[in-house]
């Protein structure tokens, strides 16, 4: 599953002891295994070998160029949701015809950028976006290739914040309005529909929501055929979950098998937008214990990583496994593992049983590769952590630690 393992009680990433990296780069830091990244992409992508497909890694999960290049070198495309992600993708040398652009609020300058780049398709999420895209494409003398993102009303049985395919969610176009929107596209001079798209949510640990969603989309493809609207690409989004704690998500092979079976008679290229399943367990966050504090009701381990570094526990009440980097065994304690930020919501774990820790001990927050660094911020004016990539016996700093100099924004030079 991943390349983080103990050797003589010390946690390694591939062949590098994590203590060695901490000594050289300081803490906290994000750490990724190149072998795990590559292996996860290959396992996922090859599971779809039986059909025409394109695996577009969802950049929002992990956007470091070194990580993106790993997948692009293996033939992958990307799913983007902003001009910034397009910029990163192009800098990682992805072929424009392997880029799909999702998102409910694309700005005009982002539409212009993507049209000039010549991406594969825009996943359009509303009729007003269609109107604007047509105008912008006309002004630039371009034709925008699009898929409509439809909202199939499927409960993905995940956290409400990462559930996107329900009626109450802001995403996509109602399936009941899809046909009329495709008909409207026919009348637009600078837009051509080539696909259909849906993404129902993230960290989905069952197959049935994917199958249900695909069946609904298939019905639409068939209806569109009758209207002489040909769909070349069916984009099913991302969403396959990973094990953070006890979850038992389907293996990508099982996921692929059921989708391939459903796609049999469609004659479409299947596009997939996986994020978490590729990078989630390929990265960890390493942090150092600063202080121990005994409250009257709780014991706290205060570490140097905080919610600005990894927001998932605070935002989604998400569980992240936490392990000592050097496992001395010995007694266990039940503690809250918290950061230095001035919010009671700043915690990495609550009421967690862990081997007794002391100041300067290192901890590894596991499964932090997806939506970890990409959701980090400068809250409390904390410089962002560096990102490190291990490959075999070597490690590389793929993003430097931010310095106080990086926080100087807003101060006029003359003052
Ligand atoms: C449109 C779209 N595609 C793909 C993804 C990637 O999802 P995941 O990381 O769960 O595979 C997301 C994330 O929510 C998304 O919004």
């Amino acid at each position: 599953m991943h390349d983080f393992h103990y050797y003589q009680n010390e946690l390694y990433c591939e062949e590098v002891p994590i203590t060695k990296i901490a000594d050289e780069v300081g803490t906290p830091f994000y750490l990724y295994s190149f072998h795990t990244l590559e292996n996860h992409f290959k396992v996922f992508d090859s599971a779809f070998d039986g059909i025409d497909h394109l695996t577009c890694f969802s950049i929002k999960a992990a956007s470091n160029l070194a990580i993106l290049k790993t997948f692009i070198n293996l033939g992958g495309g990307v799913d983007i949701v902003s001009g910034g992600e397009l910029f990163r993708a192009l800098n990682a040398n992805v072929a424009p015809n392997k880029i799909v652009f999702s998102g409910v609020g694309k700005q005009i300058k982002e539409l212009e950028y993507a049209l000039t780049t010549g991406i594969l398709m825009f996943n359009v999420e509303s009729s007003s976006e269609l109107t604007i895209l047509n105008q912008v494409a006309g002004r630039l003398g371009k034709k925008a290739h699009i898929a409509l993102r439809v909202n199939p009303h499927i409960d993905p049985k995940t956290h409400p914040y990462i559930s996107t395919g329900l009626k109450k969610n802001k995403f996509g176009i109602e399936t009941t309005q899809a046909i009329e929107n495709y008909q409207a596209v026919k009348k637009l001079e600078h837009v051509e529909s080539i696909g259909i798209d849906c993404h129902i949510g993230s960290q989905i640990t069952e197959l049935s929501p994917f199958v249900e969603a695909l069946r609904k989309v298939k019905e639409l493809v068939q209806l569109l055929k009758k209207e002489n609207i040909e769909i070349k690409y069916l984009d099913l989004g991302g969403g396959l979950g990973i094990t953070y704690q006890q979850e038992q998500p389907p293996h990508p092979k099982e996921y692929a098998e059921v989708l391939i079976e459903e796609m049999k008679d469609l004659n479409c290229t299947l596009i997939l937008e996986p994020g978490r399943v590729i990078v989630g367990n390929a990265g960890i966050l390493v942090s150092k214990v600063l202080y121990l504090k005994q409250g009257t009701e709780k014991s706290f381990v205060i570490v140097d990583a905080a919610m600005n570094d990894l927001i998932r526990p605070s935002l989604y009440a998400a569980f992240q496994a936490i392990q000592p980097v050097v496992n001395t065994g010995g007694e266990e304690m039940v503690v809250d593992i918290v950061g230095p930020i001035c919010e009671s919501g700043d915690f990495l774990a609550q009421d967690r049983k862990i081997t007794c820790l002391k100041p300067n001990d290192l901890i590894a927050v596991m499964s932090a590769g997806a939506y970890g660094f990409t959701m980090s911020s400068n809250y409390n004016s904390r410089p962002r952590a560096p990102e490190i990539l291990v490959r075999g016996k070597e490690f590389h700093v793929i993003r430097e630690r931010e310095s106080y100099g990086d926080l100087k924004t807003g101060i006029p030079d003359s003052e």
Side-chain angles (χ1 to χ4, degrees):
M1 277 232 327
H2 62 69
D3 293 80
F4 298 96
H5 56 92
Y6 283 98
Y7 175 69
Q8 295 183 340
N9 295 328
E10 225 189 291
L11 192 61
Y12 277 61
C13 178
E14 300 190 17
E15 294 171 61
V16 184
I18 289 172
T19 47
K20 180 173 182 232
I21 304 172
D23 283 346
E24 289 188 33
V25 305
T27 53
F29 60 91
Y30 274 93
L31 179 62
Y32 308 91
S33 153
F34 177 80
H35 181 256
T36 313
L37 291 169
E38 206 179 47
N39 188 39
H40 282 184
F41 186 89
K42 282 183 187 165
V43 167
F44 186 95
D45 190 50
S46 65
F48 290 92
D49 274 350
I51 54 165
D52 219 358
H53 75 281
L54 178 62
T55 301
C56 291
F57 174 69
S58 192
I59 295 192
K60 64 176 81 64
S63 58
N64 189 290
L65 295 198
I67 295 176
L68 298 183
K69 277 187 179 161
T70 310
F71 309 139
I72 288 160
N73 288 342
L74 293 170
V78 292
D79 158 51
I80 59 165
V81 289
S82 70
E85 288 191 349
L86 177 54
F87 180 75
R88 283 181 190 269
L90 295 175
N91 275 283
N93 282 334
V94 70
N97 65 359
K98 290 185 175 177
I99 302 177
V100 294
F101 192 173
S102 313
V104 288
K106 303 178 192 82
Q107 299 167 38
I108 287 182
K109 63 175 187 226
E110 293 176 321
L111 297 176
E112 287 169 347
Y113 186 15
L115 280 163
T116 318
T117 303
I119 62 167
L120 177 63
M121 64 183 191
F122 294 83
N123 289 339
V124 172
E125 304 223 13
S126 63
S127 54
S128 26
E129 185 186 332
L130 265 183
T131 310
I132 299 293
L133 182 58
N134 185 52
Q135 286 167 6
V136 177
R139 182 159 44 75
L140 296 180
K142 305 269 180 197
K143 189 134 213 162
H145 290 152
I146 64 117
L148 289 185
R149 176 171 175 180
V150 295
N151 184 337
H153 310 314
I154 304 290
D155 183 0
K157 299 174 192 130
T158 185
H159 190 281
Y161 291 3
I162 48 175
S163 158
T164 56
L166 292 168
K167 274 193 181 166
K168 60 182 176 189
N169 299 133
K170 66 180 174 183
F171 300 98
I173 290 172
E174 294 283 321
T175 39
T176 48
Q177 294 166 6
I179 304 289
E180 65 192 76
N181 274 283
Y182 274 102
Q183 276 160 344
V185 172
K186 274 190 178 176
K187 296 190 190 117
L188 299 176
E189 207 183 325
H190 309 290
V191 177
E192 184 184 344
S193 55
I194 60 168
I196 190 161
D197 167 51
C198 92
H199 168 80
I200 56 171
S202 193
Q203 183 55 10
I204 301 169
T205 54
E206 292 174 30
L207 288 176
S208 56
F210 293 112
V211 175
E212 276 179 65
L214 180 49
R215 286 189 182 153
K216 287 213 172 172
V217 174
K218 262 170 69 175
E219 273 171 33
L220 283 173
V221 173
Q222 268 133 16
L223 287 175
L224 289 168
K225 246 190 196 145
K226 287 190 192 141
E227 301 284 325
N228 285 327
I229 298 168
E230 209 48 53
I231 296 296
K232 278 196 262 179
Y233 297 96
L234 191 158
D235 183 342
L236 197 64
L240 189 57
I242 62 169
T243 303
Y244 284 101
Q245 190 176 12
Q246 304 283 331
E247 307 92 327
Q248 293 186 318
H251 189 276
K253 276 197 178 132
E254 298 170 87
Y255 170 72
E257 259 166 36
V258 295
L259 301 189
I260 291 172
E261 180 61 28
E262 291 293 325
M263 291 289 294
K264 245 183 359 211
D265 41 355
L266 266 192
N267 204 19
C268 288
T269 299
L270 178 64
I271 295 180
L272 300 139
E273 303 172 356
R276 193 186 306 271
V277 68
I278 309 281
V279 291
N281 283 321
I284 66 173
L285 172 66
V286 179
S287 178
K288 188 175 72 179
V289 177
L290 298 175
Y291 305 106
L292 302 183
K293 183 167 170 173
Q294 186 63 56
T296 49
E297 288 190 11
K298 284 204 161 203
S299 301
F300 298 97
V301 173
I302 302 164
V303 298
D304 63 3
M307 65 190 285
N308 75 297
D309 299 301
L310 179 64
I311 203 171
R312 296 190 67 257
S314 309
L315 186 62
Y316 310 129
F319 178 95
Q320 304 275 164
I322 297 184
Q323 299 174 192
V325 167
V326 178
N327 194 1
T328 49
E331 265 183 58
E332 289 187 318
M333 53 189 185
V334 176
V335 290
D336 280 12
I337 300 176
V338 301
I341 280 188
C342 303
E343 302 256 356
S344 295
D346 175 29
F347 55 84
L348 297 175
Q350 288 182 306
D351 300 318
R352 186 68 59 86
K353 199 178 212 183
I354 188 165
T355 310
C356 283
L357 294 165
K358 56 183 187 321
N360 293 321
D361 282 352
L362 297 176
I363 57 163
V365 184
M366 307 305 289
S367 314
Y371 308 101
F373 184 84
T374 51
M375 291 179 91
S376 67
S377 74
N378 289 127
Y379 187 38
N380 275 205
S381 292
R382 288 166 50 86
R384 260 178 287 230
E387 294 182 288
I388 316 293
L389 182 65
V390 165
R391 191 170 182 175
K393 290 185 169 57
E394 291 178 359
F395 73 88
H396 307 272
V397 178
I398 56 172
R399 192 186 205 275
E400 295 283 350
R401 184 183 302 285
E402 286 182 352
S403 66
Y404 288 152
D406 294 313
L407 305 176
K408 263 174 73 181
T409 49
I411 304 172
D413 278 337
S414 53
E415 283 179 26

